[in-house]
Amino acid sequence: MKNGARIGHYEIHSSIGTGGMGEVYRARDTRLDREVAIKLLPAEVSTDPDRLKRFEQEARATSALNHPNILTVYDIGTNSGSPYIVAELLEGEELRDRLDQGKIPLRKTIDYAQQIVSGLSAAHEKGIVHRDLKPENLFVTNDDRIKILDFGLAKLRGASDYTQGSEDETRKVITNPGVVMGTVGYMSPEQVRGEKLDHRSDIFSFGAILHEMITGRRAFRLDTMAETMTAILREEPEELSASNPNINPALERIVNRCLEKKPERRFHSAHDLGFALESLSAQSSSASSSGSVLTTQASIAAVAVTTRSKLRDQLPWIVAAISVVSLVTLLGFTFLRPRLTETSPAMSRFVVMAPEKVTTLLSPELSPDGRDLVFAAVKDGMSALWIRPLGSLTATPIPGTEGVSNPHFWSPDSRSIAFPAAGQLKRLDLSGGNPKTLCTLPVGPAGNGGTWNNDGIILFSAAGKIFRVSANGGNPELLIGPDKSNTDAFYRYPIFLPDGHHFVYLKTGSQPGSGDSEIFVTSIEGGERTRLTQAGSHALYSAAGGGNLIFARDDALVAQSFDVNSLKLSGEPHTISEKVTINTMGRGFFSVSSDGTVVLDPLGSRFDSQLLEWFDRLGKPLGTIGDSGNYMMSISNQKLSPDGKRVAVGKVDPQAKTRDIYIIDIARNTSSRLTFDPGDDTYPIWSADGSRITWNSNRDGGITAIYQKLASGVGEDELLLKSDAPISPSSWSPDGRFLLYNRIDPKTGPDIWVLSTEGEKKPSVFLQTPSSETAPRFSPDGKFVAYVSQDQGRSEIFVQTFPASGNRWQISNNGGRAPAWRSDGKEIFFVSRDNQLVSVDVTTKNGFEVGIPKPLFDLIPLGALSFGNVNFAPSLDGQKFLITHQREAVGGLQYVVVQNWASEKK
C-alpha cells in the first residue's frame, strides 16, 4: 500500500516488511492519535469463514491478555477482502537478529527467558497456545523487553501454505490432528507426528530457543527438513556443558526438562517453568552475596594480620574505640529497630525436579529443621524414599526403604524417618543402619499418615483409626476409633502441635472421597475432640506468621491463623498456592518445616474431572463415553458387560459424596444409577449372562457385605454374603455357579475365597497364604483363574487351575497388577510395574502355555502417577481398552518450594 493510503481511520505511513503471512505497515491511528502497526493477511484467509471466525476469536482473546510480554492487539477487521490486525508499534529487532550475531550473554539469556515464560504463562492460563514459538516471533524492544508475536496465526494456514525448500518455513493447520504444523527446527515431537497439541508443545519450543540462546547454535538443525524432524523425534540436542563447561547444572536441567520427548515429562506448566527460572536468579543473587561476605572476611583477616604487631601499643585506644562503637551500635539499634522489623524477607518460590528416570513422585516431607526434603518415588518399578538437601541439586535413594507405601514422617529432631512397608511401621535412622520394625500395622486401609513428638510418642493412622506406639517399638494402642453414633467415619493424618500433647487430625467418610472432611483437635490424654473447620485435606501447623494451620480448601493450599493456647482458628484463610494435589483419602501432597518453608505438589486434585475413554492398542484415543466425574481411579472400577454393550462403573455422587453404581449404555451414551442407599457401593461385577450386577457395600454399620441386583434396576438389592472382615467381589464363573471374592484376613491379609451358589451356598478358601493374593479373574471357559500374588516379594500375575491344584503359571516377569482376560481366553492383559499396559498370549491346546509379555502403551500420561492405581477394561476382541483417566494429562514430576509465604499474609 502506498504512503497516505487509509484503512478505516488508520493512515499508512510506510512499509515495515513482508512475509508468508502478509505485509506489515507503520500507520497512524487518526482517532486516538497514536502510531500503530497494521498487518494485512492473505486474501485467501477470508474465503474460509470458519478459519476467519476462529482467528478472530483467538485475536480477541490475545488482546484481552494485556500482558507486558505479549504484543498488544488493538483491532481487527477486513480491507478489500483481506483481513488485517492492528497492534502496538514496536521499536527494536527480532530475537533472530540477536541470535544471528552469536550466543547471548548468560545473564541476558536468563532475563529474556523469564520474560518469554511470563508471557506464555499468561496466555496458557487463558487457554491460548501459541503453536509456532520461534525466534522470529519474539521481538526485543530497544529497552530490552521481550514481546511474543503472532498468537493465533498458527490457526490460519492450511497444510499446503508453505514455501518449498526452506526448513524455516512454517507449516500450520487450524487444529486438525494428523497434519504437521510449526516451524520445523522448533517443533515439538507431537507436532512432528501431527498429534493434538496443548501448552506443553510451547514449552518444548521454548526449550529449543533457550538452548540456542545459550549455545549460539540451534538445538535441532540438519541438512534437510526430514532429517531435522527425525532428530526432534529421536535425538538429543548438544549438551550445554559442551559449549560452556561452567554452565549452571540447574540451568541445564531446566533446558533438558523442556526438551523431553514425552509431553508428560516436561514442566507441567509455564508457571512452574517460571518458578524454576526464578530460582536460578535467586541462586545467582545468593552466590553474589556470599562472595561479598567472603571478600569482607578476607579483608578483615588481612587487616588483623598486618596490625597484630602493633596491638600491644594501641590496646588502650582499641578499648576506647570499641566502647564508642558499642554505644553507637546500641543507639542505632534502639532508634532503627522499628524500621528494621518492618521489613521481612520477600516470599520466594523455586522448583525441585524429580530424579532422572523416576516415573512417580509422591508425599513430599520437609524435615522439621527445613534442611532436607524426603519424598516417595518409583524408579525401575520399585518404590523407595529419596532424600534431597534443599541446598543441593541432586536427590539420592535411601537404602532400606525399598517397597515403601504412603506416607512417611520425620522425627522431631530431623534425624529419623518412620514409614510403612510390607504391612509394618518401620523406623530408619538417617545416620546409618538398617530399618527397625516398630509394629505390625492393623489390617485394613493403611497409608493415612503419622506424627512424632519429643517424648518419643508416635501417632499413626491405619484402618481408619488413630493408634499410639513408642518410637522404640511396641504394641499399638488404639487412641481414636469410630464413634458408636457414627461407624461410617475414618480418622486420618494426626499431626502433633508444638506442646507435644495436643494434635489435629482429619475426619472423613470411610470410603475414599465420601462425605465432608473436617479437621479436629484433641489430646493424647483423650480430651474433648473439638471441630476446627471443614477442609479438603489434612492440616499441618506452622509457627510462621504468628501461628497457622495449613490445609487444602477447594484445591488451593491455604494458611489460617491458629492460637496453640486457645486451640482456635481466627481470621480468613490466606492462599499460599492456587493448586495443590489431594488424593481421595484427603491426603494433601504438601509439607511444612519449623521455619515455615512449604513444599507442595502443584497439580491440583481434579478428581471430579475424570473421563472414561477408549484407547486402541497403540494408546491412541478413540472417544469418550458418559460424563466426566469422580470415577474412583484408586480401585478396580469399570467393568464391561459380557456382550460388550454396557459398562458398570462406580462413581461418587456429587451431592451426597457417597459412591454408587451406574450403568452406561455405550451405543446410546446414556447413564442410569443402579444403587441409591446411603452407604458406599463399589466394585461392580457382571454376572456371566449379563442379567445382574454384584458389588460390595458398607451400608450395614460400616461392615462390608456383597449385594446383587438386576442390571435393569428393577427390584430390590439382595444381600448375597456378609463377613466379619472386609470383602469385595471380583469375578463370576461363566456358568454362574461360583463367585470369587477377596477377603482381608486379620492374620494373612488379602486372600481369595469362593462362594458357591448351589446347595448350602457356603464360602470356602480358594487361595490363602502369608502373602497377599488379590484381583482373581475367571478365564472365559471357567477352568483357570488369573490373580495377583506377592509371594515373590513383589506383585506378579499368575494363573491357577480352578478348582485349585498344584499347577500355576507366572504371566508377568517384572511385576504386574490388574489382570484381565480377552473374551476368547487367548490373551491376558495387565499393568506392569512401570505403568505400561501389557499383553500376553496364552493357549490351552497342550495344557496351559504362556507367551512373552508385550508392552502396548504407557499409562503414565493418563494419570498412572501413584502406586498401582490404574483402571482399564478390554473390549471383547482385545483391540481397544476403556480407561479411567484425568481430563488433563498428569505429568508434573516436580515440587514447588515456597519460602517466606507469611510475609505475603501480613
Side-chain angles (χ1 to χ4, degrees):
M1 298 186 69
K2 295 182 179 180
N3 294 354
R6 295 178 72 90
I7 299 177
H9 56 275
Y10 302 106
E11 182 180 275
I12 301 297
H13 281 189
S14 62
S15 174
I16 295 177
T18 61
M21 285 303 294
E23 303 170 347
V24 184
Y25 296 89
R26 178 190 295 267
R28 173 166 293 279
D29 183 341
T30 58
R31 187 169 59 185
L32 297 178
D33 192 27
R34 63 181 175 185
E35 285 195 310
V36 297
I38 294 182
K39 188 167 192 173
L40 283 172
L41 303 176
E44 61 268 19
V45 171
S46 63
T47 62
D48 188 335
D50 184 58
R51 290 168 69 190
L52 184 58
K53 180 180 179 181
R54 279 193 268 177
F55 162 69
E56 291 173 349
Q57 291 173 343
E58 189 95 358
R60 289 192 180 97
T62 307
S63 65
L65 290 172
N66 192 26
H67 192 276
N69 298 118
I70 297 176
L71 178 73
T72 302
V73 175
Y74 296 140
D75 193 11
I76 57 175
T78 305
N79 179 66
S80 301
S82 295
Y84 66 84
I85 304 172
V86 181
E88 63 178 316
L89 182 66
L90 302 177
E91 301 289 347
E93 62 182 347
E94 292 178 354
L95 181 61
R96 169 55 63 208
D97 297 327
R98 288 279 181 97
L99 289 171
D100 286 344
Q101 302 168 21
K103 61 183 179 181
I104 299 174
L106 197 55
R107 199 168 195 175
K108 186 65 66 179
T109 292
I110 300 300
D111 178 38
Y112 287 170
Q114 288 179 313
Q115 294 188 57
I116 297 168
V117 170
S118 179
L120 282 180
S121 180
H124 291 172
E125 287 178 3
K126 297 292 185 180
I128 302 171
V129 181
H130 194 287
R131 301 177 179 83
D132 192 23
L133 199 63
K134 56 185 177 181
E136 289 79 3
N137 280 336
L138 296 171
F139 196 89
V140 185
T141 64
N142 289 337
D143 59 352
D144 260 353
R145 286 183 298 120
I146 293 287
K147 291 280 187 175
I148 305 176
L149 314 180
D150 283 358
F151 268 104
L153 294 185
K155 286 191 173 184
L156 284 176
R157 283 188 168 183
S160 60
D161 296 335
Y162 65 96
T163 303
Q164 297 286 344
S166 172
E167 71 170 52
D168 287 332
E169 289 301 324
T170 305
R171 303 173 64 189
K172 307 165 182 169
V173 296
I174 301 174
T175 53
N176 297 331
V179 186
V180 175
M181 62 181 180
T183 301
V184 172
Y186 304 91
M187 284 181 174
S188 64
E190 56 266 33
Q191 277 180 294
V192 171
R193 290 190 293 265
E195 297 173 349
K196 188 176 180 180
L197 306 181
D198 61 18
H199 60 279
R200 294 169 298 182
S201 179
D202 284 350
I203 290 176
F204 185 93
S205 301
F206 166 79
I209 295 169
L210 180 56
H211 186 283
E212 187 172 352
M213 285 195 291
I214 296 170
T215 64
R217 295 181 292 276
R218 298 195 187 189
F220 305 100
R221 182 170 185 175
L222 282 83
D223 295 336
T224 67
M225 183 184 298
E227 290 175 322
T228 301
M229 294 167 73
T230 300
I232 290 173
L233 290 174
R234 300 179 181 177
E235 299 177 11
E236 298 298 330
E238 173 191 19
E239 295 289 338
L240 298 184
S241 54
S243 62
N244 184 354
N246 298 319
I247 197 74
N248 188 334
L251 176 59
E252 188 161 24
R253 284 179 62 86
I254 289 173
V255 174
N256 292 340
R257 180 68 67 178
C258 291
L259 293 176
E260 287 282 356
K261 304 299 184 186
K262 293 184 178 182
E264 63 272 12
R265 299 287 193 239
R266 299 172 205 152
F267 286 94
H268 176 66
S269 67
H271 190 60
D272 294 340
L273 173 55
F275 283 159
L277 291 169
E278 285 177 16
S279 70
L280 283 178
S281 300
Q283 290 173 14
S284 299
S285 300
S286 299
S288 300
S289 301
S290 300
S292 301
V293 171
L294 289 173
T295 302
T296 303
Q297 291 173 340
S299 301
I300 292 172
V303 171
V305 170
T306 57
T307 60
R308 188 177 296 121
S309 62
K310 301 178 181 179
L311 181 61
R312 185 187 303 272
D313 296 336
Q314 299 180 358
L315 185 59
W317 294 103
I318 292 173
V319 172
I322 290 174
S323 301
V324 172
V325 170
S326 299
L327 178 61
V328 171
T329 302
L330 177 62
L331 291 173
F333 179 78
T334 301
F335 288 106
L336 294 178
R337 184 177 180 181
R339 182 173 299 176
L340 291 172
T341 56
E342 289 175 3
T343 303
S344 58
M347 184 176 72
S348 63
R349 300 171 184 259
F350 60 91
V351 174
V352 173
M353 305 303 299
E356 295 295 330
K357 298 182 180 179
V358 160
T359 59
T360 302
L361 196 63
L362 291 172
S363 296
E365 291 292 342
L366 272 175
S367 59
D369 61 16
R371 295 183 178 182
D372 297 300
L373 174 65
V374 165
F375 53 87
V378 173
K379 182 175 181 181
D380 298 329
M382 174 59 72
S383 63
L385 293 180
W386 291 62
I387 188 169
R388 170 183 160 158
L390 286 188
S392 171
L393 295 174
T394 58
T396 55
I398 303 176
T401 64
E402 295 80 8
V404 65
S405 56
N406 259 332
H408 48 278
F409 50 96
W410 285 89
S411 62
D413 61 6
S414 303
R415 296 179 179 178
S416 304
I417 285 283
F419 60 95
Q424 296 176 323
L425 182 64
K426 300 185 178 184
R427 167 184 174 169
L428 179 66
D429 296 330
L430 297 180
S431 59
N434 296 321
K436 176 183 178 181
T437 298
L438 299 182
C439 65
T440 298
L441 293 171
V443 175
N448 292 155
T451 187
W452 193 334
N453 72 4
N454 285 310
D455 296 328
I457 297 173
I458 286 178
L459 305 183
F460 67 90
S461 176
K465 305 171 186 177
I466 295 177
F467 296 85
R468 169 178 174 165
V469 71
S470 169
N472 294 318
N475 294 321
E477 172 190 349
L478 178 63
L479 197 61
I480 299 180
D483 299 321
K484 292 181 180 179
S485 61
N486 183 12
T487 57
D488 188 23
F490 270 10
Y491 303 91
R492 300 180 165 115
Y493 312 114
I495 299 294
F496 274 120
L497 294 176
D499 64 8
H501 292 280
H502 289 90
F503 64 95
V504 293
Y505 63 91
L506 186 71
K507 178 183 177 182
T508 71
S510 63
Q511 290 292 329
S514 62
D516 293 328
S517 298
E518 300 171 304
I519 297 172
F520 281 74
V521 62
T522 188
S523 69
I524 56 176
E525 289 83 10
E528 181 183 357
R529 303 177 192 175
T530 303
R531 179 188 183 277
L532 295 177
T533 186
Q534 184 175 341
S537 77
H538 72 300
L540 300 178
Y541 175 78
S542 170
N548 287 268
L549 281 188
I550 299 176
F551 54 92
R553 177 171 289 171
D554 297 328
D555 276 358
L557 186 64
V558 301
Q560 188 169 1
S561 296
F562 181 72
D563 188 328
V564 293
N565 295 314
S566 65
L567 302 177
K568 292 182 179 180
L569 289 165
S570 62
E572 293 297 320
H574 165 74
T575 300
I576 298 175
S577 173
E578 294 292 343
K579 288 290 185 182
V580 63
T581 299
I582 314 164
N583 69 14
T584 55
M585 296 288 189
R587 166 72 180 180
F589 289 177
F590 62 91
S591 181
V592 59
S593 66
S594 299
D595 66 358
T597 298
V598 172
V599 61
L600 60 99
D601 183 329
L603 287 180
S605 60
R606 298 178 293 182
F607 290 116
D608 289 329
S609 61
Q610 296 161 359
L611 298 174
L612 292 169
E613 188 166 10
W614 287 108
F615 292 83
D616 68 12
R617 292 176 72 97
L618 297 178
K620 180 180 178 181
L622 302 176
T624 62
I625 67 170
D627 300 322
S628 63
N630 187 339
Y631 283 105
M632 303 147 50
M633 291 179 66
S634 62
I635 59 174
S636 177
N637 194 27
Q638 69 269 20
K639 294 292 187 297
L640 281 177
S641 61
D643 60 6
K645 296 180 179 180
R646 292 167 295 171
V647 178
V649 64
K651 185 178 178 182
V652 175
D653 182 282
Q655 279 75 43
K657 301 297 182 182
T658 56
R659 296 166 175 259
D660 285 287
I661 308 299
Y662 291 75
I663 305 296
I664 301 175
D665 186 303
I666 296 176
R668 298 170 57 213
N669 201 28
T670 57
S671 177
S672 60
R673 185 169 169 177
L674 184 72
T675 62
F676 296 88
D677 65 276
D680 287 293
D681 302 315
T682 55
Y683 298 101
I685 302 293
W686 290 90
S687 63
D689 60 3
S691 64
R692 291 165 293 144
I693 299 290
T694 306
W695 71 92
N696 82 327
S697 177
N698 65 349
R699 66 186 70 177
D700 297 322
I703 300 174
T704 56
I706 297 177
Y707 287 78
Q708 68 176 357
K709 188 177 185 177
L710 291 175
S712 63
V714 177
E716 300 296 325
D717 300 353
E718 176 189 352
L719 176 63
L720 199 59
L721 180 64
K722 292 189 72 171
S723 174
D724 56 354
I727 57 176
S728 57
S730 189
S731 181
W732 278 103
S733 62
D735 57 12
R737 296 170 54 201
F738 301 101
L739 172 67
L740 291 172
Y741 65 96
N742 268 121
R743 180 181 183 274
I744 301 178
D745 187 275
K747 295 182 179 180
T748 60
D751 300 315
I752 300 175
W753 285 58
V754 58
L755 174 66
S756 172
T757 60
E758 297 179 338
E760 298 182 7
K761 300 183 178 179
K762 287 187 176 181
S764 59
V765 173
F766 176 69
L767 286 175
Q768 185 177 50
T769 72
S771 301
S772 169
E773 293 88 23
T774 58
R777 303 286 187 266
F778 271 115
S779 62
D781 61 8
K783 296 179 180 179
F784 302 93
V785 173
Y787 65 100
V788 180
S789 175
Q790 292 186 351
D791 64 2
Q792 304 296 304
R794 63 181 180 225
S795 295
E796 297 281 7
I797 309 296
F798 289 90
V799 166
Q800 169 77 59
T801 58
F802 185 85
S805 68
N807 296 324
R808 76 166 187 171
W809 300 264
Q810 186 169 335
I811 305 300
S812 58
N813 56 15
N814 191 28
R817 60 187 184 272
W821 296 83
R822 198 171 75 188
S823 63
D824 60 4
K826 296 182 178 180
E827 199 171 13
I828 295 176
F829 306 100
F830 65 90
V831 179
S832 67
R833 291 173 66 192
D834 56 355
N835 290 309
Q836 296 277 331
L837 187 60
V838 178
S839 160
V840 177
D841 291 329
V842 295
T843 179
T844 58
K845 283 185 177 180
N846 300 310
F848 191 88
E849 297 180 358
V850 182
I852 298 174
K854 297 172 293 185
L856 299 180
F857 60 90
D858 193 354
L859 292 167
I860 289 177
L862 302 178
L865 286 178
S866 60
F867 298 128
N869 297 333
V870 173
N871 289 326
F872 77 95
S875 61
L876 300 186
D877 60 4
Q879 297 305 303
K880 59 181 182 179
F881 306 88
L882 187 62
I883 296 176
T884 305
H885 69 96
Q886 299 288 356
R887 180 185 294 275
E888 300 175 19
V890 179
L893 293 176
Q894 60 198 39
Y895 294 128
V896 173
V897 179
V898 185
Q899 295 177 322
N900 304 316
W901 57 267
S903 64
E904 296 290 326
K905 187 173 187 287
K906 293 178 182 180

